[in-house]
Amino acid sequence: MSYQGTKVNPSKFHTSQLKFYAVLIPLAFFMMLPIVFIISHAFKPIDELFAFPPRFLVQQPTFDNFRDLFVTTSTSGIPFSRFIFNSLLVTVSVMFLSVFISALAAYAMAKMKFKLRKAMFEINTLALMFVPIAVQIPRYLVVDQTGLLDTYFAHILPLLAMPIGLFLLKQFIDQVPEELKEAAIMDGASEFTVFRKVIVPVIKPALATVAILAFQAVWNNIETSNYYVNDESLKTLSFFMSSVASGSGNTIAGQGMSAAASLLMFVPNLVIFILLQSKVMNTMAHSGLK
Amino acid sequence: MAKLKISNKRRKAVIGVAFVSPWIVGFLIFTLYPMLYSLFLSFHQVKITPVGVKTKYVGFDNFNYAFFSDPVFVEKLLNYLMEMVLNVPVIIVFSLIIALLINQKIKFRGMFRTIFFLPVIITSGPVINELLSQGASSIPNIEQYGMFTLIESSLSPILAEPILYLFKQIIMVLWFSGVQILIFLAGLQKVDRSMYEAARIDGASPWESFWKVTLPVLMPLVIVNVIYTIVYVSTFALNEIILLIKNNMFSTITGFGYATAIAWIYFIIIMLMLALWTGVLRMKKR
């Protein structure tokens, strides 16, 4: 990155950029396609949804899918706002708690010395590789035995231990120079103060990344509603949306509603992403990770 | 004095354990115990009844069935292995190139960084589901433009085969590299600029200084990324083997016991794959 900075002649500097654009712009275009597709798909009228071969862009946009979805949701027994509340509560708690718990554990495993810390991290890495759905039934038994069935905790607790979060955070904390911590300890800071005042600001990009991943995992999760919660009024928005689309009996209208529902469910993903990613990118340059 | 030192050390250990304990509790209850329980189930025939789970010990029957009787498992496993051998290096090299490019001082750098980080929200949501079901993950048109026949006729089949495969996979590769690009980018910003200047004064070309300065610094992150990529691709919810496990879970013929047996075989294969890749990379490093 330093080469361009050392060049003096600005016009030469400009043409040297062209080759980067030649590669980056087409690729960036590819990256945007899924999002264009998901938006365009939601506005397709029925005949375009089922067109073969499938068309990428909508030709005659219509709000029918959204209207159908709205009509169906307003006729269900439980008010729509209830599902939104459930989802918000569950998502916010999991995001904050899992990031906090993983960061604390990652800090301890990277920068503190105690028995078994290496072994713990290895076990975590192994757990990463395990197929998540294979633990579904044993997990159900745990949730059942601990009496968490039909509570909000059934949505929250199983998702808190996030192996991938711990994995990424520890890798980032490993890169933080030991001197930063030593200096703070010299000044009389406790381990928790070091964590809060030194480590957290430095690894903000990683925290934001893990927060995005955690949000994805919770917000889109329909398994907890499916398996651990029988009480309709405790289920989450994502479950409700998927059941509206598939359970309406009419599969043709269901396709349209499901396209509209996935767009609506996707918008918060995009918003969270845009809000957090600026943190990811901006802080990285000043993070002291040198 | 010595006594004080020991107790100080112990105190530190206690704080350390206190920091990890919330994580340990959650991990033991909701991840490790269910994993071990599924290992137990893989040696059993499992019947799920309204009263509870009924198990009957069957030894290695489930594992034997997977390798010798299941019509699709072995084939899917081989496919998976080929995919991993080809895709992992491609994803790593691709994300490294993108990271190097968007680390340059160019206009709209921030925008490009955002766009290349987008896959994080695409591949882990319902979006990918919709896209895959619509067949949007391959480029249908290249086959029609005669590019495929051109490659096939001008190269030997040994070379043409992987190239064609990569073309078909290119979009998937792009979508799986969001976090890897981020990790490389963080690593690139760690590289000391004065090292480049020193290399330049010594007459190194950008190409040389990439191999001699940038890559050694990034090496530990390459390993991190290899682990991340293998894990991400292998446990991706729409992966063929995962779908197979899912189908067997509630199947009346095979059942959950068999599903956990495949899951464990798969798990062990992923571990071997990981050991292989990291082993190769560590050897190179020396």
Side-chain angles (χ1 to χ4, degrees), chain B residues 61-74:
Chain B
D61 279 10
N62 285 330
F63 293 90
N64 279 333
Y65 185 85
F67 284 113
F68 303 114
S69 310
D70 193 306
V72 285
F73 177 68
V74 176

Side-chain angles (χ1 to χ4, degrees), chain B residues 44-105:
Chain B
H44 291 75
Q45 195 184 39
V46 181
K47 278 219 171 78
I48 295 158
T49 61
V51 228
V53 178
K54 275 192 184 154
T55 55
K56 196 179 104 200
Y57 183 71
V58 291
F60 279 93
D61 279 10
N62 285 330
F63 293 90
N64 279 333
Y65 185 85
F67 284 113
F68 303 114
S69 310
D70 193 306
V72 285
F73 177 68
V74 176
E75 192 198 321
K76 287 201 171 164
L77 203 61
L78 290 176
N79 273 345
Y80 161 81
L81 286 174
M82 194 191 81
E83 239 174 70
M84 288 314 257
V85 169
L86 283 172
N87 280 358
V88 170
V90 173
I91 292 178
I92 299 292
V93 171
F94 173 78
S95 48
L96 180 58
I97 292 172
I98 294 292
L100 285 169
L101 284 175
I102 54 183
N103 199 34
Q104 304 287 339
K105 286 199 172 139

Side-chain angles (χ1 to χ4, degrees), chain A residues 4 12 31 59 70 75 79 90 126 137 140 151 158 166 198 211 224 245-246 255 262 269 275 278 283 287:
Chain A
Q4 269 67 31
K12 203 181 171 193
M31 297 301 222
Q59 316 254 290
F70 185 73
T75 53
V90 169
L126 287 180
I137 289 180
Y140 171 81
T151 61
L166 181 72
V198 179
T224 55
S246 63
Q255 275 286 326
S262 32
N269 282 325
L275 286 179
S278 63
T283 47
S287 61

Side-chain angles (χ1 to χ4, degrees), chain A residues 102-103 105-113 117-118 121-122 125 165-181 199 202-203 206 288-290, chain B residues 190 220-221 223-224 227 282:
Chain A
S102 316
Y107 170 61
M109 285 182 196
K111 294 283 173 208
M112 289 159 94
K113 289 179 182 63
R117 68 175 188 141
K118 271 244 170 71
F121 187 67
E122 301 278 301
T125 312
L166 181 72
F167 175 77
L168 286 178
L169 289 174
K170 189 199 169 250
Q171 304 293 351
F172 268 78
I173 299 175
D174 272 342
Q175 318 268 333
V176 178
E178 200 67 29
E179 296 87 43
L180 267 179
K181 183 193 166 184
I199 302 292
V202 168
I203 58 158
L289 287 175
K290 282 230 155 174
Chain B
K190 246 180 53 189
L221 294 178
I223 294 175
V224 171
I227 298 176
R282 290 224 167 94

Side-chain angles (χ1 to χ4, degrees), chain B residues 3-14:
Chain B
K3 205 178 169 189
L4 187 78
K5 211 175 172 187
I6 290 165
S7 70
N8 198 17
K9 206 175 166 189
R10 176 168 288 175
R11 205 179 64 93
K12 270 191 178 161
V14 168

Side-chain angles (χ1 to χ4, degrees), chain A residues 4-256:
Chain A
Q4 269 67 31
T6 55
K7 278 179 185 157
V8 198
N9 192 339
S11 71
K12 203 181 171 193
F13 173 69
H14 184 75
T15 48
S16 77
Q17 290 183 2
L18 282 177
K19 60 177 184 284
F20 298 129
Y21 288 125
V23 180
L24 284 175
I25 289 173
L27 287 176
F29 177 71
F30 267 130
M31 297 301 222
M32 299 291 287
L33 284 182
I35 293 183
V36 176
F37 178 78
I38 202 90
I39 295 170
S40 144
H41 201 58
F43 290 99
K44 282 180 186 165
I46 301 271
D47 59 323
E48 283 187 46
L49 280 172
F50 287 93
F52 189 86
R55 277 202 207 95
F56 194 81
L57 287 174
V58 57
Q59 316 254 290
Q60 285 158 323
T62 159
F63 278 98
D64 284 1
N65 297 332
F66 293 93
R67 208 193 50 218
D68 289 349
L69 185 69
F70 185 73
V71 170
T72 317
T73 52
S74 55
T75 53
S76 82
I78 293 148
F80 192 59
S81 54
R82 176 81 199 197
F83 293 112
I84 296 178
F85 171 78
N86 290 349
S87 265
L88 283 180
L89 179 78
V90 169
T91 305
V92 170
S93 347
V94 173
M95 254 175 95
F96 279 96
L97 287 174
S98 73
V99 170
F100 181 68
I101 291 174
S102 316
L104 265 186
Y107 170 61
M109 285 182 196
K111 294 283 173 208
M112 289 159 94
K113 289 179 182 63
F114 55 93
K115 265 185 202 162
L116 291 178
R117 68 175 188 141
K118 271 244 170 71
M120 280 183 203
F121 187 67
E122 301 278 301
I123 294 174
N124 179 71
T125 312
L126 287 180
L128 263 184
M129 288 170 247
F130 199 70
V131 189
I133 52 161
V135 295
Q136 225 159 56
I137 289 180
R139 238 184 218 178
Y140 171 81
L141 297 174
V142 171
V143 172
D144 186 21
Q145 278 154 21
T146 45
L148 295 176
L149 280 187
D150 277 331
T151 61
Y152 280 118
F153 292 113
H155 288 301
I156 298 169
L157 295 179
L159 299 176
L160 282 187
M162 217 171 99
I164 196 85
L166 181 72
F167 175 77
L168 286 178
L169 289 174
K170 189 199 169 250
Q171 304 293 351
F172 268 78
I173 299 175
D174 272 342
Q175 318 268 333
V176 178
E178 200 67 29
E179 296 87 43
L180 267 179
K181 183 193 166 184
E182 310 263 283
I185 298 272
M186 284 294 195
D187 290 342
S190 69
E191 290 283 357
F192 191 72
T193 319
V194 175
F195 171 72
R196 206 165 50 93
K197 293 269 170 71
V198 179
I199 302 292
V200 167
V202 168
I203 58 158
K204 253 189 199 154
L207 290 176
T209 311
V210 174
I212 293 175
L213 293 175
F215 178 84
Q216 298 292 323
V218 200
W219 178 254
N220 301 321
N221 191 309
I222 54 174
E223 262 113 48
T224 55
S225 296
N226 232 342
Y227 299 115
Y228 311 146
V229 176
N230 296 316
D231 186 343
E232 288 293 328
S233 65
L234 288 180
K235 296 196 171 194
T236 56
L237 189 62
S238 58
F239 175 82
F240 178 68
M241 284 298 203
S242 74
S243 69
V244 161
S246 63
S248 58
N250 183 350
T251 43
I252 294 174
Q255 275 286 326

Side-chain angles (χ1 to χ4, degrees), chain A residues 1 3-4 20-21 34 37 41 124 126 129 131 137 139 164 166 175 209 216 266 277 280 289, chain B residues 23 30 101 104 107 114 121 124 127 130-131 175 182 189-190 193 200 209 228 242 256 267 271 274:
Chain A
M1 62 186 280
Y3 289 118
Q4 269 67 31
F20 298 129
Y21 288 125
F37 178 78
H41 201 58
N124 179 71
L126 287 180
M129 288 170 247
V131 189
I137 289 180
R139 238 184 218 178
I164 196 85
L166 181 72
Q175 318 268 333
T209 311
Q216 298 292 323
F266 179 66
Q277 73 81 29
V280 174
L289 287 175
Chain B
W23 178 81
F30 290 106
L101 284 175
Q104 304 287 339
K107 258 198 167 174
T114 309
I121 57 168
S124 59
V127 182
E130 191 99 352
L131 288 168
W175 288 348
L182 179 85
Q189 273 153 2
K190 246 180 53 189
R193 282 182 206 192
R200 219 163 60 94
S209 67
Y228 188 86
I242 305 247
F256 194 75
F267 175 56
M271 270 197 308
L274 214 58

